[in-house]
Amino acid sequence: MSIIIAGERSGVGKTTVTLTLLASLRRRGVKVQSFKVGPDYIDPMFHQYVTGLPCRNLDAVLTSENYVQKCFYHHSPQSEYTLVEGVMGLFDGISHLSNTNEKTDFASTAHVARLLDIGIILVIDCSRLSGSVAAIAHGYCSLDRRIKVAGLVLNRVGSERHLSLLKAALAPLQLPILGVLRRQDNITIPDRHLGLIPTVELPELDQIVNSLADLGDIHFDWDQLLPLLKSASSPIPNSQFPIPNSSVKIAVARDQAFNFYYQDNLDLLEKLGAKLVFWSPLNGDQPPKDIQGMYFGGGFPEVFAQQLSKNISVIQAVKNSILAGIPTIAECGGLMYLCEQIIDFDGNSWPMVGILPTHAQMDKRLTLGYRRAVVLENTFLLDSNKNIFGHEFHRSHLITNSPQPLFNTYRYDCDENTGFEGWNLPNVHASYIHQHWGESVEIPQRFIQECLKHQKE
């Protein structure tokens, strides 16, 4: 059947519960595939660290409803168990017009549960509740009769007396209580300005995962859970790709500074004939030899700006490669790296690659949300006037905007203009907007075509 972990609101402990279940399953020696609703990069890193398998994002805005189903039913049957982590509160989505009806929970956890026809485990923060817990659970179960709440996880329970009050209140609803986590059971994963600190920066993570597995072994009802977590069979045929008749080598920056990538994007490049070579600008590695393309994902270059700036030979090699015409994609943190400087939270300036004649400056303001972006001029990846859909999530801005921006951008759910964005150079696509290529296969196809042109030059 498979299960999606939902919260009654943000901050109730969905990620902790999900990681606890994954850690306990992996301790049992079983293969488990995880998914994450929404555009997030960091939570999937933790999933992958625990399961050993790439976590897949399920996002109907960045892709489509059809792609969410195809992705789930392609990867889920390859493992014995499947678990999906939701996003925000169960019904928290965005406005979306479907025919004549406006949906306000589009791309929400509830929406994805309906698309996949899977059950929901609702996580409730009980730290300030007793009898009222029943009203919350009843409301979430009855608001949308198309979804099925298979059970509850009670989080941040204070004592045995507190638990008995919660159980008594919930008894008339006949909802299975599948797990109970105490307040003192909470295991803290460090965070900073964009959420959790990524896995590659946490040397103590093995200890955290073991502690989570201990909690999962003790505090969950596995007799009821295991049948719910069984992977679903696939009613959707797999997508077929033509066998590529040539290949290109693309250097993908991946280290503590650059690690925001959708696994599906990397998979698409490989299916279309690319050989991906991972390397670390942060550690002073020179770009791989004989490459025909470069891909710089998002991440935290601002945190490691001083170390990046000291790797002068790396910076010069990247600049020379781009000036030599190598097609390059730079998203968010990658865009910042291609600027002349990064100005950190303390006001310190650190020299970067300098392909983009501007500075990226950190500030307290968070830019966050889905975007509809209209392409202003033809690029090596996109045709003018095309609408693309992406997501922004950053605390920096560019001191000088491009004289030839890539996009005119709008909020996804309305026509509110959010300004011109991105840098359009002949062989550089640099933008704060993160894209998932699941329903835009022409983008990686055109990237590879440009790399092949460079290979022949």
Side-chain angles (χ1 to χ4, degrees):
M1 158 174 195
S2 304
I3 282 293
I4 191 166
I5 304 296
E8 26 96 6
R9 62 185 184 276
S10 294
V12 300
K14 290 188 305 295
T15 299
T16 299
V17 170
T18 301
L19 294 177
T20 299
L21 292 170
L22 292 175
S24 192
L25 283 167
R26 285 297 296 140
R27 179 176 281 179
R28 293 164 182 257
V30 299
K31 189 177 180 183
V32 55
Q33 176 64 57
S34 72
F35 298 85
K36 170 65 182 177
V37 179
D40 183 55
Y41 287 99
I42 298 177
D43 285 353
M45 294 181 195
F46 283 86
H47 289 210
Q48 181 169 348
Y49 190 91
V50 175
T51 66
L53 295 175
C55 173
R56 308 285 171 166
N57 290 75
L58 304 175
D59 193 308
V61 175
L62 297 185
T63 58
S64 68
E65 293 178 314
N66 183 51
Y67 186 84
V68 167
Q69 293 172 323
K70 287 195 300 183
C71 179
F72 180 80
Y73 285 110
H74 173 67
H75 294 287
S76 176
Q78 299 177 41
S79 294
E80 188 176 354
Y81 295 98
T82 300
L83 188 61
V84 183
E85 180 183 352
V87 62
M88 299 189 294
L90 176 58
F91 298 104
D92 294 333
I94 57 176
S95 297
H96 179 80
L97 291 175
S98 177
N99 297 324
T100 59
N101 299 318
E102 183 175 10
K103 300 178 181 179
T104 58
D105 72 343
F106 190 82
S108 68
T109 304
H111 180 208
V112 172
R114 294 195 303 266
L115 286 176
L116 304 179
D117 192 24
I118 61 176
I120 292 166
I121 294 177
L122 183 66
V123 181
I124 301 178
D125 179 357
C126 301
S127 59
R128 294 174 178 84
L129 291 173
S130 57
S132 297
V133 71
I136 293 172
H138 176 70
Y140 278 84
C141 291
S142 59
L143 182 64
D144 186 345
R145 294 296 185 182
R146 295 170 295 174
I147 62 173
K148 175 178 174 53
V149 176
L152 306 175
V153 171
L154 308 181
N155 195 21
R156 298 166 187 153
V157 175
S159 64
E160 284 299 325
R161 175 60 179 160
H162 187 200
L163 179 59
S164 67
L165 292 172
L166 295 169
K167 286 183 174 180
L170 290 166
L173 301 182
Q174 297 183 321
L175 278 172
I177 297 174
L178 301 174
V180 177
L181 293 176
R182 309 287 180 155
R183 290 178 194 170
Q184 64 269 24
D185 290 336
N186 287 334
I187 296 171
T188 302
I189 300 174
D191 61 5
R192 61 176 173 231
H193 56 280
L194 292 182
L196 296 179
I197 293 177
T199 55
V200 291
E201 298 181 51
L202 297 176
E204 70 277 19
L205 191 52
D206 284 340
Q207 180 180 344
I208 292 173
V209 171
N210 284 331
S211 297
L212 289 170
D214 290 340
L215 289 181
D217 293 346
I218 297 170
H219 295 301
F220 286 88
D221 187 340
W222 288 101
D223 288 339
Q224 293 192 78
L225 271 170
L226 285 176
L228 297 175
L229 295 167
K230 276 283 187 180
S231 294
S233 58
S234 175
I236 298 175
N238 296 335
S239 299
Q240 299 296 319
F241 285 84
I243 298 174
N245 53 18
S246 59
S247 64
V248 295
K249 187 187 293 186
I250 297 174
V252 181
R254 188 163 69 179
D255 53 27
Q256 292 172 307
F258 307 101
N259 45 42
F260 288 6
Y261 296 97
Y262 293 124
Q263 183 64 40
D264 288 10
N265 286 3
L266 301 178
D267 290 350
L268 275 171
L269 287 171
E270 290 183 325
K271 288 175 182 178
L272 294 167
K275 178 183 179 181
L276 305 184
V277 184
F278 297 98
W279 69 292
S280 172
L282 183 66
N283 294 333
D285 300 344
Q286 290 292 309
K289 294 181 179 180
D290 302 322
I291 57 172
Q292 290 82 47
M294 292 193 295
Y295 187 5
F296 294 92
F300 293 98
E302 68 273 17
V303 175
F304 303 97
Q306 183 176 7
Q307 186 176 340
L308 286 167
S309 69
K310 288 181 177 178
N311 297 331
I312 298 172
S313 63
V314 176
I315 285 174
Q316 193 59 52
V318 170
K319 186 172 186 176
N320 290 342
S321 296
I322 294 175
L323 292 175
I326 286 185
T328 301
I329 295 176
E331 287 184 340
C332 201
L335 171 146
M336 295 167 66
Y337 183 58
L338 297 191
C339 292
E340 292 176 337
Q341 293 183 347
I342 290 177
I343 304 171
D344 65 21
F345 285 109
D346 296 323
N348 300 311
S349 298
W350 306 104
M352 295 292 140
V353 174
I355 285 292
L356 307 180
T358 186
H359 299 170
Q361 181 167 3
M362 304 304 300
D363 56 36
K364 294 181 179 180
R365 178 175 173 268
L366 175 63
T367 301
L368 170 67
Y370 289 110
R371 299 287 183 262
R372 176 175 66 87
V374 181
V375 183
L376 295 173
E377 298 180 2
N378 288 336
T379 79
F380 71 94
L381 292 182
L382 300 163
D383 293 331
S384 64
N385 297 318
K386 180 180 177 63
N387 285 287
I388 67 103
F389 299 98
H391 188 262
E392 282 192 84
F393 187 44
H394 54 92
R395 289 192 185 272
S396 69
H397 67 275
L398 301 185
I399 299 297
T400 304
N401 291 324
S402 171
Q404 289 184 296
L406 275 170
F407 305 120
N408 194 6
T409 65
Y410 303 83
R411 279 181 48 181
Y412 172 81
D413 56 351
C414 67
D415 289 329
E416 178 185 330
N417 186 265
T418 50
F420 295 106
E421 201 281 328
W423 287 71
N424 178 15
L425 303 180
N427 60 311
V428 176
H429 173 105
S431 171
Y432 272 120
I433 294 177
H434 295 282
Q435 291 180 258
H436 189 298
W437 300 332
E439 286 285 32
S440 305
V441 181
E442 68 277 4
I443 294 176
Q445 285 176 331
R446 288 174 64 158
F447 184 34
I448 289 176
Q449 289 168 4
E450 286 298 310
C451 293
L452 285 170
K453 290 180 185 176
H454 181 75
Q455 184 181 50
K456 295 175 182 177
E457 291 175 357

PDB file of all heavy atoms in Angstrom, residues 302-313:
ATOM      1  N   GLU A 302      28.197  30.417   0.344  1.00  0.00           N
ATOM      2  CA  GLU A 302      28.408  31.525   1.281  1.00  0.00           C
ATOM      3  C   GLU A 302      29.054  31.061   2.586  1.00  0.00           C
ATOM      4  O   GLU A 302      29.821  31.790   3.216  1.00  0.00           O
ATOM      5  CB  GLU A 302      27.085  32.243   1.581  1.00  0.00           C
ATOM      6  CG  GLU A 302      26.060  31.438   2.363  1.00  0.00           C
ATOM      7  CD  GLU A 302      25.171  30.575   1.502  1.00  0.00           C
ATOM      8  OE1 GLU A 302      25.530  30.325   0.328  1.00  0.00           O
ATOM      9  OE2 GLU A 302      24.119  30.135   1.995  1.00  0.00           O
ATOM     10  N   VAL A 303      28.756  29.832   3.006  1.00  0.00           N
ATOM     11  CA  VAL A 303      29.333  29.291   4.241  1.00  0.00           C
ATOM     12  C   VAL A 303      30.811  28.971   4.044  1.00  0.00           C
ATOM     13  O   VAL A 303      31.624  29.092   4.970  1.00  0.00           O
ATOM     14  CB  VAL A 303      28.551  28.043   4.691  1.00  0.00           C
ATOM     15  CG1 VAL A 303      29.214  27.388   5.906  1.00  0.00           C
ATOM     16  CG2 VAL A 303      27.102  28.405   5.011  1.00  0.00           C
ATOM     17  N   PHE A 304      31.167  28.594   2.837  1.00  0.00           N
ATOM     18  CA  PHE A 304      32.537  28.167   2.536  1.00  0.00           C
ATOM     19  C   PHE A 304      33.244  29.148   1.601  1.00  0.00           C
ATOM     20  O   PHE A 304      34.193  28.774   0.905  1.00  0.00           O
ATOM     21  CB  PHE A 304      32.512  26.771   1.916  1.00  0.00           C
ATOM     22  CG  PHE A 304      31.847  25.741   2.782  1.00  0.00           C
ATOM     23  CD1 PHE A 304      30.523  25.394   2.589  1.00  0.00           C
ATOM     24  CD2 PHE A 304      32.545  25.141   3.824  1.00  0.00           C
ATOM     25  CE1 PHE A 304      29.903  24.452   3.397  1.00  0.00           C
ATOM     26  CE2 PHE A 304      31.935  24.194   4.640  1.00  0.00           C
ATOM     27  CZ  PHE A 304      30.611  23.858   4.427  1.00  0.00           C
ATOM     28  N   ALA A 305      32.785  30.398   1.594  1.00  0.00           N
ATOM     29  CA  ALA A 305      33.306  31.375   0.635  1.00  0.00           C
ATOM     30  C   ALA A 305      34.804  31.603   0.803  1.00  0.00           C
ATOM     31  O   ALA A 305      35.541  31.717  -0.188  1.00  0.00           O
ATOM     32  CB  ALA A 305      32.546  32.692   0.771  1.00  0.00           C
ATOM     33  N   GLN A 306      35.276  31.672   2.033  1.00  0.00           N
ATOM     34  CA  GLN A 306      36.704  31.912   2.255  1.00  0.00           C
ATOM     35  C   GLN A 306      37.543  30.779   1.679  1.00  0.00           C
ATOM     36  O   GLN A 306      38.542  31.020   0.987  1.00  0.00           O
ATOM     37  CB  GLN A 306      36.994  32.075   3.747  1.00  0.00           C
ATOM     38  CG  GLN A 306      38.462  32.391   4.047  1.00  0.00           C
ATOM     39  CD  GLN A 306      38.724  32.642   5.527  1.00  0.00           C
ATOM     40  OE1 GLN A 306      37.839  32.451   6.364  1.00  0.00           O
ATOM     41  NE2 GLN A 306      39.930  33.070   5.860  1.00  0.00           N
ATOM     42  N   GLN A 307      37.128  29.544   1.934  1.00  0.00           N
ATOM     43  CA  GLN A 307      37.884  28.398   1.420  1.00  0.00           C
ATOM     44  C   GLN A 307      37.823  28.336  -0.100  1.00  0.00           C
ATOM     45  O   GLN A 307      38.823  28.060  -0.772  1.00  0.00           O
ATOM     46  CB  GLN A 307      37.343  27.106   2.030  1.00  0.00           C
ATOM     47  CG  GLN A 307      38.156  25.863   1.668  1.00  0.00           C
ATOM     48  CD  GLN A 307      37.641  24.614   2.386  1.00  0.00           C
ATOM     49  OE1 GLN A 307      36.940  24.713   3.396  1.00  0.00           O
ATOM     50  NE2 GLN A 307      37.980  23.454   1.865  1.00  0.00           N
ATOM     51  N   LEU A 308      36.639  28.602  -0.668  1.00  0.00           N
ATOM     52  CA  LEU A 308      36.515  28.612  -2.129  1.00  0.00           C
ATOM     53  C   LEU A 308      37.424  29.664  -2.750  1.00  0.00           C
ATOM     54  O   LEU A 308      38.065  29.429  -3.778  1.00  0.00           O
ATOM     55  CB  LEU A 308      35.059  28.871  -2.529  1.00  0.00           C
ATOM     56  CG  LEU A 308      34.054  27.736  -2.337  1.00  0.00           C
ATOM     57  CD1 LEU A 308      32.632  28.248  -2.478  1.00  0.00           C
ATOM     58  CD2 LEU A 308      34.317  26.605  -3.325  1.00  0.00           C
ATOM     59  N   SER A 309      37.482  30.848  -2.118  1.00  0.00           N
ATOM     60  CA  SER A 309      38.259  31.943  -2.685  1.00  0.00           C
ATOM     61  C   SER A 309      39.749  31.672  -2.655  1.00  0.00           C
ATOM     62  O   SER A 309      40.505  32.228  -3.467  1.00  0.00           O
ATOM     63  CB  SER A 309      37.951  33.246  -1.942  1.00  0.00           C
ATOM     64  OG  SER A 309      38.459  33.208  -0.614  1.00  0.00           O
ATOM     65  N   LYS A 310      40.198  30.837  -1.724  1.00  0.00           N
ATOM     66  CA  LYS A 310      41.621  30.525  -1.623  1.00  0.00           C
ATOM     67  C   LYS A 310      42.091  29.574  -2.730  1.00  0.00           C
ATOM     68  O   LYS A 310      43.295  29.501  -3.014  1.00  0.00           O
ATOM     69  CB  LYS A 310      41.924  29.907  -0.258  1.00  0.00           C
ATOM     70  CG  LYS A 310      41.864  30.900   0.899  1.00  0.00           C
ATOM     71  CD  LYS A 310      42.196  30.216   2.225  1.00  0.00           C
ATOM     72  CE  LYS A 310      42.202  31.211   3.371  1.00  0.00           C
ATOM     73  NZ  LYS A 310      42.487  30.554   4.678  1.00  0.00           N
ATOM     74  N   ASN A 311      41.158  28.864  -3.340  1.00  0.00           N
ATOM     75  CA  ASN A 311      41.514  27.918  -4.404  1.00  0.00           C
ATOM     76  C   ASN A 311      41.626  28.678  -5.730  1.00  0.00           C
ATOM     77  O   ASN A 311      40.828  28.495  -6.649  1.00  0.00           O
ATOM     78  CB  ASN A 311      40.483  26.793  -4.488  1.00  0.00           C
ATOM     79  CG  ASN A 311      40.432  25.962  -3.223  1.00  0.00           C
ATOM     80  OD1 ASN A 311      41.432  25.832  -2.514  1.00  0.00           O
ATOM     81  ND2 ASN A 311      39.281  25.386  -2.930  1.00  0.00           N
ATOM     82  N   ILE A 312      42.638  29.520  -5.804  1.00  0.00           N
ATOM     83  CA  ILE A 312      42.779  30.435  -6.936  1.00  0.00           C
ATOM     84  C   ILE A 312      42.954  29.690  -8.260  1.00  0.00           C
ATOM     85  O   ILE A 312      42.371  30.059  -9.282  1.00  0.00           O
ATOM     86  CB  ILE A 312      43.963  31.397  -6.698  1.00  0.00           C
ATOM     87  CG1 ILE A 312      43.696  32.250  -5.449  1.00  0.00           C
ATOM     88  CG2 ILE A 312      44.199  32.286  -7.911  1.00  0.00           C
ATOM     89  CD1 ILE A 312      44.874  33.091  -5.019  1.00  0.00           C
ATOM     90  N   SER A 313      43.720  28.609  -8.230  1.00  0.00           N
ATOM     91  CA  SER A 313      43.946  27.872  -9.480  1.00  0.00           C
ATOM     92  C   SER A 313      42.655  27.219  -9.975  1.00  0.00           C
ATOM     93  O   SER A 313      42.428  27.106 -11.186  1.00  0.00           O
ATOM     94  CB  SER A 313      45.039  26.818  -9.281  1.00  0.00           C
ATOM     95  OG  SER A 313      44.642  25.845  -8.329  1.00  0.00           O
TER      96      SER A 313
END
